[in-house]
Amino acid sequence: MSELTRIPAPGGVFPAAQYSHVVMGTGRLVAVAGQVAVDEDGKPVGEGDPEAQARQVFENLRRCLAAAGASFDDVVKLTYFVTDMAHMPAIRAARADHIPDDRLPAASAVQVAALVRPEFMLEVEALAMLAE
């Protein structure tokens, strides 16, 4: 695990409640492609249910990070793509199951018109930093 420094509120920047404005560290970068709500067999999970989709997405992220020798403790940035910003509370709840409030990464949330398949409501990608 890399030693990461989180700066939730740099001087002159309004504090963020749901993410850190800056996360920095040294080491090896791990980029995890956007994950959608599919199970290990490629079947969609939680059609029409943002909570079920968010749980599956974070499980997929966990598995991808583990494959690189990383964990959510190493994540420096999450990017959320959602078809409706109303899904963010469900995403935050799923995130809270994996990342405690004192270790929040930097984050961006973008509302999109559509994702790769119409049943998907959200996609999340991650950047992590591993110690060298």
Side-chain angles (χ1 to χ4, degrees):
M1 180 170 71
S2 176
E3 186 64 35
L4 300 177
T5 301
R6 290 170 176 77
I7 305 172
V13 177
F14 187 77
Q18 296 295 323
Y19 59 91
S20 295
H21 278 290
V22 179
V23 180
M24 58 187 172
T26 59
R28 184 170 45 98
L29 183 66
V30 175
V32 178
Q35 297 297 303
V36 293
V38 294
D39 65 15
E40 60 272 8
D41 297 320
K43 295 179 183 158
V45 172
E47 190 167 346
D49 182 349
E51 292 178 26
Q53 287 200 11
R55 284 191 303 272
Q56 183 66 48
V57 164
F58 273 87
E59 177 58 19
N60 292 350
L61 287 169
R62 185 194 66 75
R63 290 175 179 172
C64 289
L65 289 164
S71 73
F72 282 105
D73 284 342
D74 303 305
V75 171
V76 297
K77 174 86 189 299
L78 292 172
T79 304
Y80 307 99
F81 302 96
V82 296
T83 57
D84 187 335
M85 283 295 177
H87 304 323
M88 289 306 297
I91 295 168
R92 287 185 193 112
R95 183 200 63 206
D97 290 341
H98 297 278
I99 304 173
D101 284 348
D102 66 340
R103 299 195 58 81
L104 292 174
S108 298
V110 180
Q111 184 167 329
V112 295
L115 293 166
V116 67
R117 290 178 21 195
E119 63 267 31
F120 297 136
M121 305 167 85
L122 63 118
E123 181 173 334
V124 182
E125 63 184 25
L127 291 175
M129 185 70 66
L130 291 175
E132 295 185 85

